[in-house]
Amino acid sequence: MYSQFPTALRFSVRDQTRNRLAGLLLVLFVPVWYLVMDAMASGEVLDFKLYATGEVLHVDGGHLTLISAGLNSVTMIAGFVVFDAVRRALAFDRRLVFAGYRQSTLIGAKTLAIAAVATAIALYTALAILFFWRPTAAGWFAVLAGFAVIALTYGALGLLLGVLVKRDLEGFFLIIMGGLMDTFLQNPLGNPLANKPILQWFPSFGPMQFAVGGSFGGTALWGRLALGLAWAAAFSTVGLVIFRLRTRNRTHTRRPTGR
């Protein structure tokens, strides 16, 4: 059984990294999206509230928009990659279970693969932001941490949708529209709902608070980062439970009955 995990992990990583469209989006879309947002956003000073401390930061609107644009890029790409890979591999995973693979092995491999791919997407997106804005080292690591957590969250959402919805269009629509609404509502630039308590119920709230607090206020809001991880854990738990149900071996050996 121990030899099953490396094979299952290799399959999971392969499925999530062979999506050429997602790779193209990561390499080309992210810097272009930063360029467009940087050109459109003004450098006016905005008020951004840190809910953990009650402090209101006065931040550069252009730099804040770059953070929200990065979060938006990560949500779409991470969610798309995992959703597409999980949905396409579901029938194959079911056959692996029938062939003797343990479901716990497949679940562990998928979880690790999602974490690795999400971290790589977040790292590239955080590095790309340096071409448009140079925060302090601590500020950049705060942005990276926020990107990593939102990538895990939407990777977990992609897993959930991959085992739940029946068609590609449904999953892509939910990921794209959900990510757009989620991330850009956190930006006070042109959004009347920004700094309102209702935003605390959105998955990107914790990562956005941590990234902004670390890059502009020099404050590490670890509780807010943990809130983002809680969203990731919730999505992945539900998704893995459904994955377990959909890949279980329903064949039963019937005992002969005496006459």
Side-chain angles (χ1 to χ4, degrees), residues 187-210:
N187 190 345
L189 186 63
N191 174 29
L193 292 178
N195 297 324
K196 301 295 184 181
I198 191 175
L199 295 182
Q200 298 181 71
W201 298 100
F202 287 74
S204 68
F205 172 77
M208 183 73 170
Q209 289 275 310
F210 187 86

mmCIF file with all atom_site columns, all heavy atoms in Angstrom, residues 187-210:
data_model
loop_
_atom_site.group_PDB
_atom_site.id
_atom_site.type_symbol
_atom_site.label_atom_id
_atom_site.label_alt_id
_atom_site.label_comp_id
_atom_site.label_asym_id
_atom_site.label_entity_id
_atom_site.label_seq_id
_atom_site.pdbx_PDB_ins_code
_atom_site.Cartn_x
_atom_site.Cartn_y
_atom_site.Cartn_z
_atom_site.occupancy
_atom_site.B_iso_or_equiv
_atom_site.pdbx_formal_charge
_atom_site.auth_seq_id
_atom_site.auth_comp_id
_atom_site.auth_asym_id
_atom_site.auth_atom_id
_atom_site.pdbx_PDB_model_num
ATOM 1   N N   . ASN A 1 187 ? -11.915 45.879 -2.533 1.00 0.00 ? 187 ASN A N   1
ATOM 2   C CA  . ASN A 1 187 ? -11.155 47.073 -2.889 1.00 0.00 ? 187 ASN A CA  1
ATOM 3   C C   . ASN A 1 187 ? -12.040 48.314 -2.779 1.00 0.00 ? 187 ASN A C   1
ATOM 4   O O   . ASN A 1 187 ? -13.060 48.415 -3.467 1.00 0.00 ? 187 ASN A O   1
ATOM 5   C CB  . ASN A 1 187 ? -10.629 46.930 -4.325 1.00 0.00 ? 187 ASN A CB  1
ATOM 6   C CG  . ASN A 1 187 ? -9.634  48.020 -4.687 1.00 0.00 ? 187 ASN A CG  1
ATOM 7   O OD1 . ASN A 1 187 ? -9.516  49.035 -4.012 1.00 0.00 ? 187 ASN A OD1 1
ATOM 8   N ND2 . ASN A 1 187 ? -8.907  47.800 -5.770 1.00 0.00 ? 187 ASN A ND2 1
ATOM 9   N N   . PRO A 1 188 ? -11.676 49.286 -1.938 1.00 0.00 ? 188 PRO A N   1
ATOM 10  C CA  . PRO A 1 188 ? -12.500 50.498 -1.779 1.00 0.00 ? 188 PRO A CA  1
ATOM 11  C C   . PRO A 1 188 ? -12.560 51.375 -3.021 1.00 0.00 ? 188 PRO A C   1
ATOM 12  O O   . PRO A 1 188 ? -13.378 52.290 -3.084 1.00 0.00 ? 188 PRO A O   1
ATOM 13  C CB  . PRO A 1 188 ? -11.815 51.255 -0.632 1.00 0.00 ? 188 PRO A CB  1
ATOM 14  C CG  . PRO A 1 188 ? -10.928 50.264 0.026  1.00 0.00 ? 188 PRO A CG  1
ATOM 15  C CD  . PRO A 1 188 ? -10.530 49.286 -1.032 1.00 0.00 ? 188 PRO A CD  1
ATOM 16  N N   . LEU A 1 189 ? -11.698 51.133 -4.001 1.00 0.00 ? 189 LEU A N   1
ATOM 17  C CA  . LEU A 1 189 ? -11.670 51.964 -5.195 1.00 0.00 ? 189 LEU A CA  1
ATOM 18  C C   . LEU A 1 189 ? -12.937 51.745 -6.023 1.00 0.00 ? 189 LEU A C   1
ATOM 19  O O   . LEU A 1 189 ? -13.092 50.761 -6.726 1.00 0.00 ? 189 LEU A O   1
ATOM 20  C CB  . LEU A 1 189 ? -10.435 51.630 -6.047 1.00 0.00 ? 189 LEU A CB  1
ATOM 21  C CG  . LEU A 1 189 ? -10.196 52.532 -7.265 1.00 0.00 ? 189 LEU A CG  1
ATOM 22  C CD1 . LEU A 1 189 ? -9.941  53.969 -6.827 1.00 0.00 ? 189 LEU A CD1 1
ATOM 23  C CD2 . LEU A 1 189 ? -9.040  52.010 -8.099 1.00 0.00 ? 189 LEU A CD2 1
ATOM 24  N N   . GLY A 1 190 ? -13.881 52.657 -5.918 1.00 0.00 ? 190 GLY A N   1
ATOM 25  C CA  . GLY A 1 190 ? -15.121 52.579 -6.672 1.00 0.00 ? 190 GLY A CA  1
ATOM 26  C C   . GLY A 1 190 ? -16.124 51.576 -6.151 1.00 0.00 ? 190 GLY A C   1
ATOM 27  O O   . GLY A 1 190 ? -17.108 51.289 -6.829 1.00 0.00 ? 190 GLY A O   1
ATOM 28  N N   . ASN A 1 191 ? -15.908 51.049 -4.940 1.00 0.00 ? 191 ASN A N   1
ATOM 29  C CA  . ASN A 1 191 ? -16.837 50.060 -4.389 1.00 0.00 ? 191 ASN A CA  1
ATOM 30  C C   . ASN A 1 191 ? -17.456 50.601 -3.108 1.00 0.00 ? 191 ASN A C   1
ATOM 31  O O   . ASN A 1 191 ? -16.782 50.707 -2.086 1.00 0.00 ? 191 ASN A O   1
ATOM 32  C CB  . ASN A 1 191 ? -16.106 48.748 -4.101 1.00 0.00 ? 191 ASN A CB  1
ATOM 33  C CG  . ASN A 1 191 ? -17.000 47.745 -3.394 1.00 0.00 ? 191 ASN A CG  1
ATOM 34  O OD1 . ASN A 1 191 ? -18.219 47.757 -3.570 1.00 0.00 ? 191 ASN A OD1 1
ATOM 35  N ND2 . ASN A 1 191 ? -16.405 46.898 -2.578 1.00 0.00 ? 191 ASN A ND2 1
ATOM 36  N N   . PRO A 1 192 ? -18.738 50.934 -3.122 1.00 0.00 ? 192 PRO A N   1
ATOM 37  C CA  . PRO A 1 192 ? -19.381 51.508 -1.933 1.00 0.00 ? 192 PRO A CA  1
ATOM 38  C C   . PRO A 1 192 ? -19.499 50.522 -0.769 1.00 0.00 ? 192 PRO A C   1
ATOM 39  O O   . PRO A 1 192 ? -19.726 50.939 0.360  1.00 0.00 ? 192 PRO A O   1
ATOM 40  C CB  . PRO A 1 192 ? -20.764 51.937 -2.442 1.00 0.00 ? 192 PRO A CB  1
ATOM 41  C CG  . PRO A 1 192 ? -21.016 51.069 -3.636 1.00 0.00 ? 192 PRO A CG  1
ATOM 42  C CD  . PRO A 1 192 ? -19.674 50.858 -4.261 1.00 0.00 ? 192 PRO A CD  1
ATOM 43  N N   . LEU A 1 193 ? -19.378 49.227 -1.044 1.00 0.00 ? 193 LEU A N   1
ATOM 44  C CA  . LEU A 1 193 ? -19.483 48.233 0.031  1.00 0.00 ? 193 LEU A CA  1
ATOM 45  C C   . LEU A 1 193 ? -18.166 47.972 0.755  1.00 0.00 ? 193 LEU A C   1
ATOM 46  O O   . LEU A 1 193 ? -18.134 47.235 1.726  1.00 0.00 ? 193 LEU A O   1
ATOM 47  C CB  . LEU A 1 193 ? -20.007 46.903 -0.536 1.00 0.00 ? 193 LEU A CB  1
ATOM 48  C CG  . LEU A 1 193 ? -21.453 46.889 -1.041 1.00 0.00 ? 193 LEU A CG  1
ATOM 49  C CD1 . LEU A 1 193 ? -21.787 45.520 -1.606 1.00 0.00 ? 193 LEU A CD1 1
ATOM 50  C CD2 . LEU A 1 193 ? -22.412 47.242 0.088  1.00 0.00 ? 193 LEU A CD2 1
ATOM 51  N N   . ALA A 1 194 ? -17.079 48.553 0.248  1.00 0.00 ? 194 ALA A N   1
ATOM 52  C CA  . ALA A 1 194 ? -15.779 48.319 0.877  1.00 0.00 ? 194 ALA A CA  1
ATOM 53  C C   . ALA A 1 194 ? -15.776 48.837 2.314  1.00 0.00 ? 194 ALA A C   1
ATOM 54  O O   . ALA A 1 194 ? -16.457 49.803 2.657  1.00 0.00 ? 194 ALA A O   1
ATOM 55  C CB  . ALA A 1 194 ? -14.683 49.006 0.075  1.00 0.00 ? 194 ALA A CB  1
ATOM 56  N N   . ASN A 1 195 ? -15.010 48.152 3.146  1.00 0.00 ? 195 ASN A N   1
ATOM 57  C CA  . ASN A 1 195 ? -14.896 48.475 4.568  1.00 0.00 ? 195 ASN A CA  1
ATOM 58  C C   . ASN A 1 195 ? -16.196 48.244 5.338  1.00 0.00 ? 195 ASN A C   1
ATOM 59  O O   . ASN A 1 195 ? -16.359 48.753 6.451  1.00 0.00 ? 195 ASN A O   1
ATOM 60  C CB  . ASN A 1 195 ? -14.426 49.918 4.775  1.00 0.00 ? 195 ASN A CB  1
ATOM 61  C CG  . ASN A 1 195 ? -13.027 50.158 4.213  1.00 0.00 ? 195 ASN A CG  1
ATOM 62  O OD1 . ASN A 1 195 ? -12.161 49.280 4.285  1.00 0.00 ? 195 ASN A OD1 1
ATOM 63  N ND2 . ASN A 1 195 ? -12.805 51.330 3.660  1.00 0.00 ? 195 ASN A ND2 1
ATOM 64  N N   . LYS A 1 196 ? -17.133 47.498 4.744  1.00 0.00 ? 196 LYS A N   1
ATOM 65  C CA  . LYS A 1 196 ? -18.372 47.151 5.429  1.00 0.00 ? 196 LYS A CA  1
ATOM 66  C C   . LYS A 1 196 ? -18.238 45.763 6.066  1.00 0.00 ? 196 LYS A C   1
ATOM 67  O O   . LYS A 1 196 ? -17.542 44.893 5.539  1.00 0.00 ? 196 LYS A O   1
ATOM 68  C CB  . LYS A 1 196 ? -19.554 47.155 4.455  1.00 0.00 ? 196 LYS A CB  1
ATOM 69  C CG  . LYS A 1 196 ? -19.790 48.487 3.771  1.00 0.00 ? 196 LYS A CG  1
ATOM 70  C CD  . LYS A 1 196 ? -20.186 49.563 4.763  1.00 0.00 ? 196 LYS A CD  1
ATOM 71  C CE  . LYS A 1 196 ? -20.503 50.872 4.034  1.00 0.00 ? 196 LYS A CE  1
ATOM 72  N NZ  . LYS A 1 196 ? -20.864 51.967 4.970  1.00 0.00 ? 196 LYS A NZ  1
ATOM 73  N N   . PRO A 1 197 ? -18.919 45.533 7.198  1.00 0.00 ? 197 PRO A N   1
ATOM 74  C CA  . PRO A 1 197 ? -18.796 44.233 7.888  1.00 0.00 ? 197 PRO A CA  1
ATOM 75  C C   . PRO A 1 197 ? -19.199 43.033 7.046  1.00 0.00 ? 197 PRO A C   1
ATOM 76  O O   . PRO A 1 197 ? -18.721 41.925 7.282  1.00 0.00 ? 197 PRO A O   1
ATOM 77  C CB  . PRO A 1 197 ? -19.730 44.399 9.097  1.00 0.00 ? 197 PRO A CB  1
ATOM 78  C CG  . PRO A 1 197 ? -19.803 45.877 9.331  1.00 0.00 ? 197 PRO A CG  1
ATOM 79  C CD  . PRO A 1 197 ? -19.717 46.497 7.971  1.00 0.00 ? 197 PRO A CD  1
ATOM 80  N N   . ILE A 1 198 ? -20.083 43.227 6.050  1.00 0.00 ? 198 ILE A N   1
ATOM 81  C CA  . ILE A 1 198 ? -20.542 42.097 5.253  1.00 0.00 ? 198 ILE A CA  1
ATOM 82  C C   . ILE A 1 198 ? -19.402 41.416 4.506  1.00 0.00 ? 198 ILE A C   1
ATOM 83  O O   . ILE A 1 198 ? -19.451 40.213 4.205  1.00 0.00 ? 198 ILE A O   1
ATOM 84  C CB  . ILE A 1 198 ? -21.638 42.557 4.260  1.00 0.00 ? 198 ILE A CB  1
ATOM 85  C CG1 . ILE A 1 198 ? -22.315 41.337 3.624  1.00 0.00 ? 198 ILE A CG1 1
ATOM 86  C CG2 . ILE A 1 198 ? -21.056 43.479 3.206  1.00 0.00 ? 198 ILE A CG2 1
ATOM 87  C CD1 . ILE A 1 198 ? -23.483 41.682 2.736  1.00 0.00 ? 198 ILE A CD1 1
ATOM 88  N N   . LEU A 1 199 ? -18.332 42.148 4.215  1.00 0.00 ? 199 LEU A N   1
ATOM 89  C CA  . LEU A 1 199 ? -17.208 41.576 3.469  1.00 0.00 ? 199 LEU A CA  1
ATOM 90  C C   . LEU A 1 199 ? -16.470 40.508 4.267  1.00 0.00 ? 199 LEU A C   1
ATOM 91  O O   . LEU A 1 199 ? -15.703 39.736 3.697  1.00 0.00 ? 199 LEU A O   1
ATOM 92  C CB  . LEU A 1 199 ? -16.238 42.685 3.058  1.00 0.00 ? 199 LEU A CB  1
ATOM 93  C CG  . LEU A 1 199 ? -16.781 43.714 2.065  1.00 0.00 ? 199 LEU A CG  1
ATOM 94  C CD1 . LEU A 1 199 ? -15.702 44.718 1.711  1.00 0.00 ? 199 LEU A CD1 1
ATOM 95  C CD2 . LEU A 1 199 ? -17.297 43.037 0.807  1.00 0.00 ? 199 LEU A CD2 1
ATOM 96  N N   . GLN A 1 200 ? -16.684 40.454 5.579  1.00 0.00 ? 200 GLN A N   1
ATOM 97  C CA  . GLN A 1 200 ? -16.016 39.440 6.388  1.00 0.00 ? 200 GLN A CA  1
ATOM 98  C C   . GLN A 1 200 ? -16.511 38.036 6.068  1.00 0.00 ? 200 GLN A C   1
ATOM 99  O O   . GLN A 1 200 ? -15.869 37.046 6.460  1.00 0.00 ? 200 GLN A O   1
ATOM 100 C CB  . GLN A 1 200 ? -16.252 39.730 7.871  1.00 0.00 ? 200 GLN A CB  1
ATOM 101 C CG  . GLN A 1 200 ? -15.685 41.067 8.331  1.00 0.00 ? 200 GLN A CG  1
ATOM 102 C CD  . GLN A 1 200 ? -15.922 41.325 9.808  1.00 0.00 ? 200 GLN A CD  1
ATOM 103 O OE1 . GLN A 1 200 ? -15.312 40.692 10.677 1.00 0.00 ? 200 GLN A OE1 1
ATOM 104 N NE2 . GLN A 1 200 ? -16.814 42.247 10.097 1.00 0.00 ? 200 GLN A NE2 1
ATOM 105 N N   . TRP A 1 201 ? -17.630 37.919 5.337  1.00 0.00 ? 201 TRP A N   1
ATOM 106 C CA  . TRP A 1 201 ? -18.192 36.615 4.998  1.00 0.00 ? 201 TRP A CA  1
ATOM 107 C C   . TRP A 1 201 ? -17.720 36.113 3.644  1.00 0.00 ? 201 TRP A C   1
ATOM 108 O O   . TRP A 1 201 ? -18.189 35.092 3.159  1.00 0.00 ? 201 TRP A O   1
ATOM 109 C CB  . TRP A 1 201 ? -19.724 36.688 5.019  1.00 0.00 ? 201 TRP A CB  1
ATOM 110 C CG  . TRP A 1 201 ? -20.259 37.042 6.374  1.00 0.00 ? 201 TRP A CG  1
ATOM 111 C CD1 . TRP A 1 201 ? -20.687 38.265 6.805  1.00 0.00 ? 201 TRP A CD1 1
ATOM 112 C CD2 . TRP A 1 201 ? -20.405 36.155 7.493  1.00 0.00 ? 201 TRP A CD2 1
ATOM 113 N NE1 . TRP A 1 201 ? -21.092 38.209 8.100  1.00 0.00 ? 201 TRP A NE1 1
ATOM 114 C CE2 . TRP A 1 201 ? -20.937 36.918 8.558  1.00 0.00 ? 201 TRP A CE2 1
ATOM 115 C CE3 . TRP A 1 201 ? -20.143 34.807 7.701  1.00 0.00 ? 201 TRP A CE3 1
ATOM 116 C CZ2 . TRP A 1 201 ? -21.208 36.370 9.799  1.00 0.00 ? 201 TRP A CZ2 1
ATOM 117 C CZ3 . TRP A 1 201 ? -20.410 34.251 8.944  1.00 0.00 ? 201 TRP A CZ3 1
ATOM 118 C CH2 . TRP A 1 201 ? -20.937 35.027 9.976  1.00 0.00 ? 201 TRP A CH2 1
ATOM 119 N N   . PHE A 1 202 ? -16.770 36.812 3.022  1.00 0.00 ? 202 PHE A N   1
ATOM 120 C CA  . PHE A 1 202 ? -16.244 36.403 1.724  1.00 0.00 ? 202 PHE A CA  1
ATOM 121 C C   . PHE A 1 202 ? -14.916 35.670 1.908  1.00 0.00 ? 202 PHE A C   1
ATOM 122 O O   . PHE A 1 202 ? -14.126 36.023 2.791  1.00 0.00 ? 202 PHE A O   1
ATOM 123 C CB  . PHE A 1 202 ? -16.046 37.611 0.818  1.00 0.00 ? 202 PHE A CB  1
ATOM 124 C CG  . PHE A 1 202 ? -17.331 38.197 0.284  1.00 0.00 ? 202 PHE A CG  1
ATOM 125 C CD1 . PHE A 1 202 ? -18.174 38.935 1.104  1.00 0.00 ? 202 PHE A CD1 1
ATOM 126 C CD2 . PHE A 1 202 ? -17.691 37.996 -1.029 1.00 0.00 ? 202 PHE A CD2 1
ATOM 127 C CE1 . PHE A 1 202 ? -19.352 39.465 0.619  1.00 0.00 ? 202 PHE A CE1 1
ATOM 128 C CE2 . PHE A 1 202 ? -18.878 38.534 -1.535 1.00 0.00 ? 202 PHE A CE2 1
ATOM 129 C CZ  . PHE A 1 202 ? -19.707 39.264 -0.708 1.00 0.00 ? 202 PHE A CZ  1
ATOM 130 N N   . PRO A 1 203 ? -14.628 34.657 1.066  1.00 0.00 ? 203 PRO A N   1
ATOM 131 C CA  . PRO A 1 203 ? -13.382 33.895 1.228  1.00 0.00 ? 203 PRO A CA  1
ATOM 132 C C   . PRO A 1 203 ? -12.110 34.722 1.117  1.00 0.00 ? 203 PRO A C   1
ATOM 133 O O   . PRO A 1 203 ? -11.104 34.404 1.758  1.00 0.00 ? 203 PRO A O   1
ATOM 134 C CB  . PRO A 1 203 ? -13.463 32.857 0.092  1.00 0.00 ? 203 PRO A CB  1
ATOM 135 C CG  . PRO A 1 203 ? -14.915 32.697 -0.170 1.00 0.00 ? 203 PRO A CG  1
ATOM 136 C CD  . PRO A 1 203 ? -15.521 34.056 0.044  1.00 0.00 ? 203 PRO A CD  1
ATOM 137 N N   . SER A 1 204 ? -12.126 35.789 0.297  1.00 0.00 ? 204 SER A N   1
ATOM 138 C CA  . SER A 1 204 ? -10.902 36.572 0.115  1.00 0.00 ? 204 SER A CA  1
ATOM 139 C C   . SER A 1 204 ? -10.683 37.602 1.214  1.00 0.00 ? 204 SER A C   1
ATOM 140 O O   . SER A 1 204 ? -9.664  38.306 1.201  1.00 0.00 ? 204 SER A O   1
ATOM 141 C CB  . SER A 1 204 ? -10.932 37.279 -1.248 1.00 0.00 ? 204 SER A CB  1
ATOM 142 O OG  . SER A 1 204 ? -11.938 38.279 -1.259 1.00 0.00 ? 204 SER A OG  1
ATOM 143 N N   . PHE A 1 205 ? -11.609 37.709 2.160  1.00 0.00 ? 205 PHE A N   1
ATOM 144 C CA  . PHE A 1 205 ? -11.486 38.734 3.195  1.00 0.00 ? 205 PHE A CA  1
ATOM 145 C C   . PHE A 1 205 ? -10.199 38.556 4.004  1.00 0.00 ? 205 PHE A C   1
ATOM 146 O O   . PHE A 1 205 ? -9.423  39.505 4.178  1.00 0.00 ? 205 PHE A O   1
ATOM 147 C CB  . PHE A 1 205 ? -12.699 38.687 4.124  1.00 0.00 ? 205 PHE A CB  1
ATOM 148 C CG  . PHE A 1 205 ? -12.582 39.577 5.336  1.00 0.00 ? 205 PHE A CG  1
ATOM 149 C CD1 . PHE A 1 205 ? -12.769 40.942 5.227  1.00 0.00 ? 205 PHE A CD1 1
ATOM 150 C CD2 . PHE A 1 205 ? -12.271 39.046 6.579  1.00 0.00 ? 205 PHE A CD2 1
ATOM 151 C CE1 . PHE A 1 205 ? -12.652 41.773 6.332  1.00 0.00 ? 205 PHE A CE1 1
ATOM 152 C CE2 . PHE A 1 205 ? -12.148 39.860 7.690  1.00 0.00 ? 205 PHE A CE2 1
ATOM 153 C CZ  . PHE A 1 205 ? -12.342 41.233 7.569  1.00 0.00 ? 205 PHE A CZ  1
ATOM 154 N N   . GLY A 1 206 ? -9.966  37.349 4.514  1.00 0.00 ? 206 GLY A N   1
ATOM 155 C CA  . GLY A 1 206 ? -8.785  37.105 5.332  1.00 0.00 ? 206 GLY A CA  1
ATOM 156 C C   . GLY A 1 206 ? -7.486  37.344 4.591  1.00 0.00 ? 206 GLY A C   1
ATOM 157 O O   . GLY A 1 206 ? -6.612  38.087 5.071  1.00 0.00 ? 206 GLY A O   1
ATOM 158 N N   . PRO A 1 207 ? -7.291  36.743 3.399  1.00 0.00 ? 207 PRO A N   1
ATOM 159 C CA  . PRO A 1 207 ? -6.058  36.998 2.650  1.00 0.00 ? 207 PRO A CA  1
ATOM 160 C C   . PRO A 1 207 ? -5.853  38.468 2.291  1.00 0.00 ? 207 PRO A C   1
ATOM 161 O O   . PRO A 1 207 ? -4.724  38.965 2.333  1.00 0.00 ? 207 PRO A O   1
ATOM 162 C CB  . PRO A 1 207 ? -6.241  36.144 1.391  1.00 0.00 ? 207 PRO A CB  1
ATOM 163 C CG  . PRO A 1 207 ? -7.132  35.032 1.828  1.00 0.00 ? 207 PRO A CG  1
ATOM 164 C CD  . PRO A 1 207 ? -8.078  35.650 2.810  1.00 0.00 ? 207 PRO A CD  1
ATOM 165 N N   . MET A 1 208 ? -6.934  39.176 1.930  1.00 0.00 ? 208 MET A N   1
ATOM 166 C CA  . MET A 1 208 ? -6.816  40.593 1.589  1.00 0.00 ? 208 MET A CA  1
ATOM 167 C C   . MET A 1 208 ? -6.404  41.400 2.809  1.00 0.00 ? 208 MET A C   1
ATOM 168 O O   . MET A 1 208 ? -5.522  42.268 2.730  1.00 0.00 ? 208 MET A O   1
ATOM 169 C CB  . MET A 1 208 ? -8.151  41.106 1.043  1.00 0.00 ? 208 MET A CB  1
ATOM 170 C CG  . MET A 1 208 ? -8.130  42.564 0.582  1.00 0.00 ? 208 MET A CG  1
ATOM 171 S SD  . MET A 1 208 ? -7.218  42.767 -0.962 1.00 0.00 ? 208 MET A SD  1
ATOM 172 C CE  . MET A 1 208 ? -7.629  44.469 -1.383 1.00 0.00 ? 208 MET A CE  1
ATOM 173 N N   . GLN A 1 209 ? -7.005  41.134 3.944  1.00 0.00 ? 209 GLN A N   1
ATOM 174 C CA  . GLN A 1 209 ? -6.657  41.842 5.170  1.00 0.00 ? 209 GLN A CA  1
ATOM 175 C C   . GLN A 1 209 ? -5.194  41.599 5.544  1.00 0.00 ? 209 GLN A C   1
ATOM 176 O O   . GLN A 1 209 ? -4.471  42.521 5.932  1.00 0.00 ? 209 GLN A O   1
ATOM 177 C CB  . GLN A 1 209 ? -7.568  41.379 6.305  1.00 0.00 ? 209 GLN A CB  1
ATOM 178 C CG  . GLN A 1 209 ? -9.006  41.854 6.201  1.00 0.00 ? 209 GLN A CG  1
ATOM 179 C CD  . GLN A 1 209 ? -9.214  43.234 6.771  1.00 0.00 ? 209 GLN A CD  1
ATOM 180 O OE1 . GLN A 1 209 ? -8.810  43.522 7.897  1.00 0.00 ? 209 GLN A OE1 1
ATOM 181 N NE2 . GLN A 1 209 ? -9.860  44.100 6.002  1.00 0.00 ? 209 GLN A NE2 1
ATOM 182 N N   . PHE A 1 210 ? -4.757  40.347 5.425  1.00 0.00 ? 210 PHE A N   1
ATOM 183 C CA  . PHE A 1 210 ? -3.369  40.024 5.781  1.00 0.00 ? 210 PHE A CA  1
ATOM 184 C C   . PHE A 1 210 ? -2.389  40.696 4.831  1.00 0.00 ? 210 PHE A C   1
ATOM 185 O O   . PHE A 1 210 ? -1.374  41.262 5.264  1.00 0.00 ? 210 PHE A O   1
ATOM 186 C CB  . PHE A 1 210 ? -3.162  38.511 5.763  1.00 0.00 ? 210 PHE A CB  1
ATOM 187 C CG  . PHE A 1 210 ? -1.815  38.089 6.282  1.00 0.00 ? 210 PHE A CG  1
ATOM 188 C CD1 . PHE A 1 210 ? -1.623  37.891 7.644  1.00 0.00 ? 210 PHE A CD1 1
ATOM 189 C CD2 . PHE A 1 210 ? -0.745  37.889 5.429  1.00 0.00 ? 210 PHE A CD2 1
ATOM 190 C CE1 . PHE A 1 210 ? -0.390  37.515 8.136  1.00 0.00 ? 210 PHE A CE1 1
ATOM 191 C CE2 . PHE A 1 210 ? 0.495   37.510 5.909  1.00 0.00 ? 210 PHE A CE2 1
ATOM 192 C CZ  . PHE A 1 210 ? 0.671   37.315 7.267  1.00 0.00 ? 210 PHE A CZ  1
#
